[in-house]
Amino acid sequence: MNDLYDRHKAVIPDWVALYYRDPIEITHGEGRHVWDAEGRRYLDFFGGILTTMTAHALPEVTKAVAEQAGRIIHSSTLYLNRPMVELAERIAGLSGIPDARVFFTTSGTEANDTALLLATAYRGSNQILAMRNSYHGRSFSTVGITGNRAWSPTGLSPLQTLYVHGGVRTRGPYAEYGDEQFIEACVADLEDLLGHTRNAAALIAEPIQGVGGFTSARRPVRRLPPRPGPARHPVDRRRGADRLGPHRRALLGLAGPRPEPGRPTSSPSPRASATACRSAGSSPAPRS
């Protein structure tokens, strides 16, 4: 094990973090358990990272992957793809979004990059509103809007990001408030900020923060009255919308840019889209 660790340090960047003083090598898994190189078995509480929560060596998943690999690995989106269309139809139907369109990516980072590109291009603005303590990915643009210093190594960004309250219930200037007071204070802060911004492109928010410590936003976004303005992008990369429970449809209904009153009808009319994202991953950091 020490030999592998030494080899890892020799060729892998320092910022690819490993857990534990003496990192363990996971060699295989079965169901909810994994084994290390020393033969020790562990109950895997980490399987949900990057949405790889299908269990290990699950026969039906292994069979489906092997069958697909035996047919064709990749053909690009330049050709018709039956499984892609079938999955997109299912996601669009479940989303509750009228006339939904589905764009597939391989990571939450790419999904957020897509949302940022769509919003900034449509709104003609590079100003983004994000939640404090948030995590949005590891690309140049998503690192720049992440509100968690541990996961944002640089402040350089093509985007101008302003951070709003509401992501963390237990700290900050409103931590001592009751739930209703907390919500009202966060809404007032957001509305005040909107009064000072030029033309914000989007507000991006995790309904439940994962990297930030599994904290809930306490509904301040949903409490805002309808208004023309920045697109709101609820982000739940790792489990689609499953984290949201009964509020899934309410938050998904906020997604997507909306035309402003008086905007010329000749302008492109983007449709709301449901994004399927993040297919695999095993390393705890950095996240792709």
Side-chain angles (χ1 to χ4, degrees):
M1 183 60 226
N2 289 335
D3 174 60
L4 182 60
Y5 186 29
D6 291 339
R7 290 163 57 192
H8 177 279
K9 291 188 292 183
V11 294
I12 305 298
D14 292 342
W15 42 262
V16 179
L18 293 169
Y19 278 159
Y20 312 119
R21 182 176 300 172
D22 295 316
I24 60 176
E25 176 191 358
I26 300 297
T27 58
H28 65 285
E30 182 177 341
R32 65 177 66 90
H33 293 97
V34 294
W35 283 260
D36 69 14
E38 305 298 323
R40 290 173 296 220
R41 188 179 75 162
Y42 304 84
L43 180 60
D44 184 10
F45 281 97
F46 210 53
I49 189 172
L50 314 187
T51 62
T52 55
M53 66 282 199
T54 56
H56 302 285
L58 200 64
E60 52 265 46
V61 174
T62 302
K63 180 175 181 289
V65 171
E67 288 178 351
Q68 182 60 49
R71 287 193 296 269
I72 188 169
I73 294 292
H74 181 60
S75 64
S76 89
T77 56
L78 297 173
Y79 306 95
L80 285 171
N81 186 311
R82 186 175 299 273
M84 181 176 71
V85 172
E86 290 173 347
L87 180 57
E89 289 173 336
R90 185 175 180 185
I91 293 171
L94 291 171
S95 73
I97 300 173
D99 197 22
R101 295 294 186 269
V102 181
F103 178 73
F104 292 100
T105 71
T106 59
S107 70
T109 292
E110 292 171 290
N112 285 346
D113 276 337
T114 302
L116 292 169
L117 179 60
L118 174 66
T120 54
Y122 181 73
R123 295 279 293 172
S125 168
N126 72 334
Q127 193 168 83
I128 301 296
L129 307 181
M131 306 296 286
R132 299 184 181 192
N133 200 48
S134 59
Y135 171 83
H136 295 301
R138 299 296 281 168
S139 68
F140 187 54
S141 64
T142 56
V143 161
I145 65 170
T146 287
N148 188 318
R149 183 173 58 185
W151 293 95
S152 184
T154 177
L156 297 175
S157 174
L159 303 170
Q160 180 189 15
T161 307
L162 302 173
Y163 296 98
V164 300
H165 291 282
V168 185
R169 176 69 182 84
T170 56
R171 77 180 199 206
Y174 309 142
E176 302 302 319
Y177 291 180
D179 281 355
E180 286 302 315
Q181 286 180 298
F182 178 84
I183 292 170
E184 294 302 329
C186 291
V187 170
D189 172 68
L190 177 55
E191 291 190 310
D192 179 67
L193 183 63
L194 289 172
H196 294 284
T197 59
R198 294 184 179 179
N199 182 30
L203 185 153
I204 184 167
E206 300 161 284
I208 297 178
Q209 294 183 342
V211 172
F214 298 99
T215 60
S216 172
R218 300 286 179 180
R219 309 187 305 278
V221 174
R222 295 203 309 276
R223 288 283 294 269
L224 282 177
R227 65 170 72 190
R232 299 164 187 170
H233 293 286
V235 177
D236 208 333
R237 296 179 300 276
R238 299 196 191 171
R239 294 193 183 182
D242 292 346
R243 285 182 185 167
L244 309 183
H247 304 298
R248 176 175 68 87
R249 291 185 182 276
L251 273 164
L252 285 176
L254 294 173
R258 297 181 173 88
E260 296 176 35
R263 186 153 187 149
T265 55
S266 59
S267 298
S269 178
R271 298 178 175 94
S273 63
T275 304
C277 56
R278 201 183 295 282
S279 60
S282 59
S283 175
R287 302 180 182 179
S288 61

